[in-house]
Amino acid sequence: MQWFTADCHFGHFNVIPSCGRPFSDVAEMNAHMLDACVARVLSGDDLWVLGDFAIAKTADGGRDVVRDIFRRIPGKKHLILGNHDLPWVKELGWESIDDFKEIKIDGRRVSLSHYPMLTFPGARHGAIQMFGHVHQNWRGSRNSVNVGVDVFDFRPVTLSEVLDRAKLLPVNAHWDEVEPGVTVDGPTISLG
């Protein structure tokens, strides 16, 4: 099984008030998100973290807490680099680390980036893009979906859940400018 998440910001107190997270402190936030990962991700699964696993400025004691969280999350963990993923985060023991990654799930092209993109590989042919970075500020568009914890109940999600969300999102207002003549719900971009 493939799982996706972004913008965990483990160890970051200021993300709680700035993003309106429903936690009283970092320990509660960390525990809730770790429990959500443990409840969903199995040891043989892949977990794709689309950036900002932890806050870059975490001090040494906080880094030990984040290292322990990382160790306790099941599955093969992959990092798509975000703006807060400094060298100590990269050294946690990831299965892979990329700036951008394209994978296939059941024949569907999936583009993984920390940042939302207007268009991406396979956008004209049914691909979907997943991103983070924008926290609760934007859920995305019909074929480019925010998988961050702030918009998915602080838990990792499956492609099926992302596709269900995509059906409810509007077509990107710039789609006709970047991909003229291609409709998101037409025969080539159907989200199934």
Side-chain angles (χ1 to χ4, degrees):
M1 177 73 73
Q2 307 276 336
W3 298 94
F4 306 91
T5 194
D7 301 318
C8 300
H9 283 248
F10 283 110
H12 185 195
F13 174 78
N14 287 337
V15 77
I16 296 171
S18 69
C19 292
R21 292 187 177 184
F23 307 108
S24 59
D25 58 29
V26 169
E28 180 186 0
M29 178 181 74
N30 288 350
H32 182 88
M33 290 190 297
L34 174 59
D35 289 348
C37 285
V38 170
R40 299 197 108 199
V41 181
L42 301 177
S43 62
D45 292 349
D46 288 285
L47 174 65
W48 297 89
V49 178
L50 307 189
D52 295 358
F53 181 73
I55 186 63
K57 297 177 183 177
T58 301
D60 289 338
R63 289 181 185 186
D64 290 339
V65 169
V66 171
R67 286 182 186 107
D68 184 59
I69 290 168
F70 180 87
R71 183 189 56 76
R72 293 170 58 196
I73 294 173
K76 296 174 277 185
K77 297 172 282 285
H78 306 271
L79 179 64
I80 304 300
L81 290 170
N83 53 303
H84 290 290
D85 298 313
L86 293 184
W88 75 270
V89 172
K90 295 178 199 176
E91 295 167 1
L92 290 173
W94 300 94
E95 192 82 19
S96 67
I97 299 174
D98 295 282
D99 288 311
F100 173 87
K101 182 79 172 182
E102 184 181 43
I103 62 174
K104 280 196 174 182
I105 302 175
D106 299 328
R108 182 182 296 272
R109 292 172 78 174
V110 180
S111 290
L112 306 174
S113 172
H114 179 61
Y115 305 98
M117 301 178 344
L118 285 176
T119 192
F120 43 88
R124 289 177 161 263
H125 304 287
I128 191 153
Q129 192 243 342
M130 296 182 201
F131 63 89
H133 186 64
V134 297
H135 293 269
Q136 77 285 0
N137 297 322
W138 186 53
R139 289 180 177 253
S141 61
R142 190 72 49 86
N143 61 351
S144 186
V145 179
N146 181 350
V147 296
V149 296
D150 296 292
V151 296
F152 267 111
D153 299 321
F154 305 97
R155 61 182 173 73
V157 294
T158 63
L159 175 61
S160 177
E161 290 170 301
V162 171
L163 293 174
D164 286 346
R165 169 75 53 88
K167 291 174 187 175
L168 303 174
L169 295 172
V171 174
N172 187 297
H174 300 285
W175 185 249
D176 286 335
E177 297 169 50
V178 297
E179 294 287 351
V182 179
T183 61
V184 174
D185 290 324
T188 60
I189 309 296
S190 174
L191 295 175

